[in-house]
Amino acid sequence: MLDNRNERIEDRKMKKFMSRNKGILLIVAGIMLLVSAVVFTQSGKEEDTRQSPKETKLWVLTDNHFIAPELYDDGSEFAFIETTAAGKDLRYQQQSLEALVANALKERPNEVILTGDLTLNGEYVSAEKLVELLNPLVEKNIKVRVIPGNHDIHDGWARKYENDEQIKAKQISPEDFRELFKDMGYEGADSYDKESLSYKESGTTAYDFYFLDSNKYTLEASKSAPATGGRFRDETLQWLEDEFKKTAVNDKQPIVFMHHNLYPHNEAVSRGFVIDDAEEVRALYAKYHVAVVFSGHIHAQDILEKTIDGVNIPEVVNGAYSITPHGFGEVVVNEKGIEYSRKSVNVDTWAAETNQTDSKLLKHQAYLKELFVNDGKALGYRSLLEKKIPNEDDLDAAAQLVGQVNEEFFTGEDTRTPEEVEKIKAGKGYQTLEAYDSFLKKYIDSVLTDNNLEDTHLFIPNKKQTK
């Protein structure tokens, strides 16, 4: 009896507490529901809650020039294509991309961004395979964002290589590109341009991300080589300005990703790399205070800042992922601003961890560097042999210099003191170029006189922090 009486007293106390604190309990319940919504999506997938919303990490790479392994064999025709690849690795591309994906799954960037020339020459099969390789990132809630390069859409060079034959391969149309990469930017974009493959994403509280298609291509399959140069269509520029206005109204800045360059990054090599309508584009970017531009195309790692109409706009060109040292940019965006750092994927480590046996994978970084340096030396020899240089030692020294300086420029490791420059100019290799090859001398001079003190790191303060 006593136990029943105590239970009735406790029951009345609980009802009284519930009545008095109904509002508080509803708030607590609401908070619990909100927490549940954050941790789980409607599909039941667990969201990654480790990354602070105050900081966004982007990995930016370019010019991976992927060709699917099923499109080539060990025949003479593909071997010839390798000799024309300008130091790109074509044999181990799948493995280097698998290594990139494995690193990203460990380090968890918010987005992995590819700024064009996703395929070697616009082969549909290569794009399909690339989507397959990148899909593990999407499945683990790491966004992948892509834009085309000049080699991706209706490239008349799309081929399959069998023995001593080249067989025409299916090309990628603009519609194909949008469909193939629908989960990598095109489906769910905040805005997209109907006249190109450009789109916009609301990136962070301070920046909007613009992924721009700067390429020239036909709307039908092509029989010609891809256009090297690029420009924006008038309709695209109008769409871009309309979206820039919205970004400005929200007190944000644009961050732009494009394939072609905004500025010339080398005096000797700029034609076809700088966007054709650069003057108009620069003025538009300055008008709406673009914070930074990320591009590719030239394959060389370089950072250049210019003041346009009183506005400082830096451009970061990432070195091609398909050459030494499989580089990419890590971009950290937070309330302080934007910090860029050059990184690289160490395939050697991945190869050891995945029990690879091929020596060119286990010592991949050395293989990549040797491949690129040798291609630079071959460039030197091809040009210098025509000059009939009498002394073979002078010829070798000049070709060696071209290979060395070329590799340092393309990897962004070309910072030198005035004394180091003078030492190079006093050497046998440079003296030979000066006497026999004005073009190669001009190219070497353009690298030696590069005034950029830092090509691998950049910090851009948030405009709100500088007021």
Side-chain angles (χ1 to χ4, degrees), residues 6 16 26 30 33 54 77 84 91 229 237 250 279 301 310 348 418 426:
N6 287 340
K16 192 173 183 180
L26 286 172
L33 286 171
K54 294 182 179 179
E77 196 58 35
T84 68
R91 293 279 177 178
L237 286 174
N250 290 324
E279 191 171 335
Q301 176 74 26
D348 302 34

Side-chain angles (χ1 to χ4, degrees), residues 86-153:
K88 295 191 293 290
D89 167 56
L90 300 183
R91 293 279 177 178
Y92 298 97
Q93 292 181 326
Q94 179 167 329
Q95 292 90 336
S96 69
L97 286 166
E98 287 176 356
L100 170 79
V101 168
N103 280 12
L105 290 174
K106 288 178 184 177
E107 299 193 27
R108 304 291 304 182
N110 297 85
E111 298 190 19
V112 174
I113 298 165
L114 289 76
T115 62
D117 281 358
L118 311 182
T119 60
L120 181 62
N121 283 309
E123 312 87 4
Y124 186 93
V125 172
S126 295
E128 275 189 316
K129 183 66 175 180
L130 181 62
V131 170
E132 179 186 321
L133 291 170
L134 296 174
N135 260 335
L137 300 176
V138 178
E139 291 169 358
K140 294 297 183 180
N141 299 313
I142 296 174
K143 295 178 182 178
V144 177
R145 298 291 178 258
V146 305
I147 50 174
N150 62 300
H151 280 276
D152 292 321
I153 308 295

Side-chain angles (χ1 to χ4, degrees), residues 197-450:
L197 290 165
S198 302
Y199 58 99
K200 169 193 172 185
E201 178 178 275
S202 181
T204 71
T205 56
Y207 305 97
D208 283 341
F209 302 159
Y210 285 82
F211 303 93
L212 304 183
D213 173 10
S214 58
N215 304 285
K216 301 175 184 177
Y217 46 78
T218 59
L219 296 180
E220 302 296 330
S222 172
K223 296 180 180 179
S224 305
T228 302
R231 66 172 294 115
F232 292 126
R233 299 167 179 82
D234 291 340
E235 297 87 349
T236 299
L237 286 174
Q238 185 58 60
W239 167 83
L240 188 56
E241 180 156 26
D242 291 343
E243 294 302 322
F244 276 174
K245 287 177 182 176
K246 295 175 186 177
T247 296
V249 166
N250 290 324
D251 197 25
K252 299 168 75 173
Q253 285 182 274
I255 295 177
V256 168
F257 303 89
M258 53 193 266
H259 185 65
H260 291 83
N261 305 143
L262 188 65
Y263 307 128
H265 286 260
N266 181 279
E267 292 179 7
V269 187
S270 62
R271 187 175 180 181
F273 294 99
V274 179
I275 194 166
D276 294 356
D277 47 349
E279 191 171 335
E280 182 180 3
V281 173
R282 291 171 197 161
L284 182 64
Y285 286 6
K287 182 178 178 181
Y288 293 97
H289 293 262
V290 167
V292 61
V293 176
F294 294 99
S295 65
H297 194 34
I298 198 172
H299 288 199
Q301 176 74 26
D302 200 67
I303 297 176
L304 188 60
E305 297 185 65
K306 287 183 178 290
T307 301
I308 310 297
D309 297 334
V311 179
N312 186 58
I313 304 177
E315 180 180 34
V316 178
V317 180
N318 283 294
Y321 187 76
S322 50
I323 67 170
T324 184
H326 287 322
F328 66 93
E330 182 174 270
V331 184
V332 177
V333 183
N334 55 34
E335 60 185 9
K336 295 179 182 178
I338 305 163
E339 185 165 16
Y340 170 89
S341 301
R342 165 78 163 185
K343 306 284 185 179
S344 63
V345 173
N346 191 321
V347 175
D348 302 34
T349 302
W350 171 85
E353 291 174 348
T354 54
N355 301 314
Q356 304 293 318
T357 57
D358 190 327
S359 62
K360 289 181 180 177
L361 284 172
L362 292 168
K363 297 181 179 180
H364 193 70
Q365 303 309 103
Y367 157 77
L368 269 187
K369 182 172 181 176
E370 182 180 7
L371 185 70
F372 194 81
V373 171
N374 285 344
D375 185 83
K377 288 166 63 177
L379 168 68
Y381 277 119
R382 282 195 298 272
S383 180
L384 290 164
L385 284 170
E386 296 177 357
K387 311 300 191 279
K388 298 181 179 179
I389 299 170
N391 189 308
E392 191 171 327
D393 288 343
D394 292 346
L395 172 65
D396 291 341
Q400 184 73 36
L401 178 63
V402 172
Q404 172 198 334
V405 172
N406 189 58
E407 188 266 341
E408 290 169 351
F409 169 61
F410 275 82
T411 58
E413 301 294 338
D414 56 350
T415 302
R416 296 177 182 82
T417 65
E419 292 76 18
E420 289 171 329
V421 171
E422 288 307 311
K423 184 177 180 181
I424 289 173
K425 288 186 174 182
K428 185 188 297 184
Y430 185 87
Q431 295 292 323
T432 302
L433 294 178
E434 189 171 44
Y436 290 96
D437 200 317
S438 59
F439 172 76
L440 284 179
K441 176 186 175 294
K442 181 181 178 182
Y443 172 59
I444 297 300
D445 283 343
S446 72
V447 178
L448 296 180
T449 57
D450 185 356

Side-chain angles (χ1 to χ4, degrees), residues 133-179:
L133 291 170
L134 296 174
N135 260 335
L137 300 176
V138 178
E139 291 169 358
K140 294 297 183 180
N141 299 313
I142 296 174
K143 295 178 182 178
V144 177
R145 298 291 178 258
V146 305
I147 50 174
N150 62 300
H151 280 276
D152 292 321
I153 308 295
H154 281 155
D155 184 340
W157 285 352
R159 295 287 189 276
K160 179 178 182 178
Y161 303 94
E162 285 187 1
N163 299 317
D164 60 350
E165 289 186 273
Q166 290 189 19
I167 304 166
K168 289 183 179 180
K170 180 181 177 181
Q171 299 174 21
I172 305 167
S173 71
E175 295 77 17
D176 290 335
F177 193 90
R178 193 186 296 273
E179 179 62 24

